[in-house]
Amino acid sequence: MNTRCWVEVDGAALNHNLAEIRRQASSGCGVMAVVKANAYGHGLQPVAKEFAAMGVEWLGVAQVEEAVQLRKSGIRTPILILSACLKGELEEAVRLKLTPTLSSWTEAQWLEKAARTQRKTAQAHFKIDTGMGRLGCRFEEAEAEIARIARLKRVRIDALFTHFTSADTDPDMTRRQWRLFQEIAARFPDKKRHAANSAGLLADRRFSADVVRPGIALYGCPPLPQWQPRFRPALAWKSRVTLVKRMPKGRTLSYGATYRLPFAQTIAVVAVGYGDGYFRSLSNRGSVLIGGLRCPIRGRVTMDQILVDVSRVPDVKSGDEAVLIGKQGKAKIHAAEVAAWAGTISYEVLTNVGSRVPRCYRHFFSIG
Ligand SMILES: Cc1ncc(COP(=O)(O)O)c(C=O)c1O
């Protein structure tokens, strides 16, 4: 195992976060664990298997290809494909008993054809656009579209759903979306309903409906900061010091010579760079933990290495651990903090951790 730069994923934290989600959701509500984009960087198959072993009712992925990997690893849990499927993907979706998202009559016809070829009935969830303007049928047309699809022989719409745009920032907008969704859904009482992502559920448990679709909160980064104490980050990102050098006042560091030493400093080279998914925008902005202390990044982040001021840390040497996200001693760096330094959101920090970085799994029930 390459131990220069790695990620540790904590199954106990995933378990804890799922329990928090279940506590917040209304009773009897199912949980769809959203595991798209490599389970938000945590590793698609191990994390999905773990959630399946914990008894989630659904898994949510973005693409048929992600669902194929889950079925290959033996997961039988129902899987919703959250993005629109291409016509050519629907046969595979039917064959693997996946649930595609439909937004239109055209897609429903494609699905009908794929189901007919295999002499099966395909299940789907129908999405209603109540303000996101991305997937989903425009709300004014949804009722007619659902009724039209109901006439197809081999497509069965089991559930209706929508997606909140701003549940973390705009309660009025969220309530408006919810009301529109409820009005349409009320005309189809036989169909299940779901709407809430992490922010929606944490903002108001009445948005639970029949199923909730949390992603980021399950990984321990709830989008409403007041909820942070209740959740445990599941991912720690670590690296190692590879060289330590005393540098005199006046020298410059890294590409572009953007940092000039105002006084002599001890500089550590740490084995991580943008080739691992560590943002270049952290240049001269971010910090890492070494020896239990926060050490600032000096100069530009390069492809494989960063330079860190370790002047305050005694006896730093090659091989010492550097924590990019996670805890060391009493100090910690949260993904949301890295995101703020880089001018982005924790979702992007997590999903950006590259394929060169091996993931190790701790306290994983399904791995043993
Ligand atoms: C349709 C849908 N539902 C749920 C989620 C999960 O969202 P979050 O990670 O904010 O909980 C996503 C993620 O983007 C999504 O696209």
Side-chain angles (χ1 to χ4, degrees):
M1 153 87 92
N2 165 18
T3 50
R4 294 168 66 87
C5 180
W6 71 102
V7 148
E8 293 170 6
V9 184
D10 179 2
L14 296 177
N15 210 330
H16 168 89
N17 297 335
L18 177 59
E20 286 297 326
I21 290 289
R22 289 213 189 270
R23 197 163 302 143
Q24 169 70 359
S26 46
S27 76
C29 172
V31 173
M32 179 184 299
V34 178
V35 294
K36 62 192 173 128
N38 200 26
Y40 289 46
H42 295 61
L44 176 63
Q45 285 171 328
V47 168
K49 267 189 168 177
E50 195 66 8
F51 281 134
M54 291 175 200
V56 297
E57 287 74 13
W58 281 88
L59 292 165
V61 297
Q63 312 167 349
V64 170
E65 187 44 45
E66 291 172 326
V68 168
Q69 289 183 43
L70 298 186
R71 289 286 187 250
K72 271 190 190 149
S73 65
I75 294 173
R76 305 215 173 287
T77 307
I79 301 174
L80 179 64
I81 313 293
L82 293 162
S83 295
C85 291
L86 295 169
K87 186 177 179 186
E89 293 173 321
L90 288 168
E91 284 217 9
E92 185 79 323
V94 173
R95 200 171 61 71
L96 295 177
K97 227 167 165 281
L98 310 174
T99 306
T101 288
L102 297 180
S103 306
S104 66
W105 167 244
T106 305
E107 291 166 306
Q109 284 176 300
W110 294 342
L111 185 59
E112 169 86 0
K113 185 154 179 258
R116 199 184 317 125
T117 315
Q118 297 175 49
R119 299 206 179 92
K120 287 183 179 160
T121 300
Q123 293 152 25
H125 289 191
F126 188 81
K127 190 163 191 182
I128 302 167
D129 177 7
T130 56
M132 183 75 179
R134 191 175 60 175
L135 292 190
C137 175
R138 289 205 307 268
F139 65 86
E140 322 80 288
E141 294 161 1
E143 187 178 354
E145 204 76 335
I146 298 163
R148 193 176 181 196
I149 294 172
R151 296 202 293 269
L152 292 172
K153 283 205 181 68
R154 294 183 176 272
V155 171
R156 202 181 75 209
I157 294 178
D158 288 333
L160 306 177
F161 76 111
T162 193
H163 192 42
F164 294 138
T165 65
S166 328
D168 50 341
T169 52
D170 189 343
D172 290 340
M173 168 93 182
T174 312
R175 268 194 297 275
R176 273 200 304 279
Q177 286 191 271
W178 175 251
R179 265 199 305 274
L180 275 175
F181 175 59
Q182 291 290 75
E183 267 169 37
I184 299 160
R187 292 174 205 144
F188 302 94
D190 59 317
K191 304 204 188 302
K192 296 221 181 290
R193 304 168 191 190
H194 51 96
N197 51 4
S198 301
L201 173 66
L202 300 180
D204 190 336
R205 63 148 50 93
R206 283 172 300 182
F207 299 143
S208 295
D210 295 303
V211 178
V212 290
R213 306 190 308 267
I216 197 77
L218 287 173
Y219 303 104
C221 303
L224 302 169
Q226 66 272 31
W227 281 84
Q228 189 55 61
R230 296 263 298 267
F231 287 85
R232 282 169 42 190
L235 179 146
W237 190 1
K238 300 184 178 175
S239 180
R240 290 197 192 279
V241 171
T242 54
L243 189 76
V244 184
K245 268 198 325 218
R246 190 72 189 160
M247 295 292 279
K249 175 179 172 183
R251 290 292 168 86
T252 60
L253 299 180
S254 193
Y255 291 119
T258 59
Y259 185 80
R260 185 178 296 275
L261 274 80
F263 35 76
Q265 290 174 22
T266 307
I267 298 296
V269 180
V270 174
V272 67
Y274 60 78
D276 302 293
Y278 197 68
F279 291 113
R280 189 166 173 274
S281 52
L282 294 166
S283 302
N284 288 311
R285 297 179 73 92
S287 290
V288 307
L289 305 177
I290 297 175
L293 295 175
R294 277 179 179 242
C295 304
I297 297 171
R298 300 300 190 201
R300 288 213 177 125
V301 171
T302 70
M303 191 181 287
D304 316 296
Q305 301 168 87
I306 57 173
L307 302 177
V308 175
D309 175 5
V310 292
S311 307
R312 292 192 306 134
V313 191
D315 304 327
V316 179
K317 55 188 184 314
S318 171
D320 284 359
E321 187 182 277
V323 172
L324 316 170
I325 295 175
K327 284 190 195 157
Q328 196 182 53
K330 291 199 173 114
K332 62 179 164 193
I333 294 177
H334 195 278
E337 197 177 359
V338 176
W341 293 331
T344 182
I345 51 177
S346 52
Y347 298 71
E348 195 184 7
V349 171
L350 297 174
T351 55
N352 210 51
V353 180
S355 54
R356 184 165 76 173
V357 182
R359 273 73 167 168
C360 351
Y361 296 94
R362 305 260 154 87
H363 312 299
F364 264 61
F365 181 66
S366 55
I367 294 176

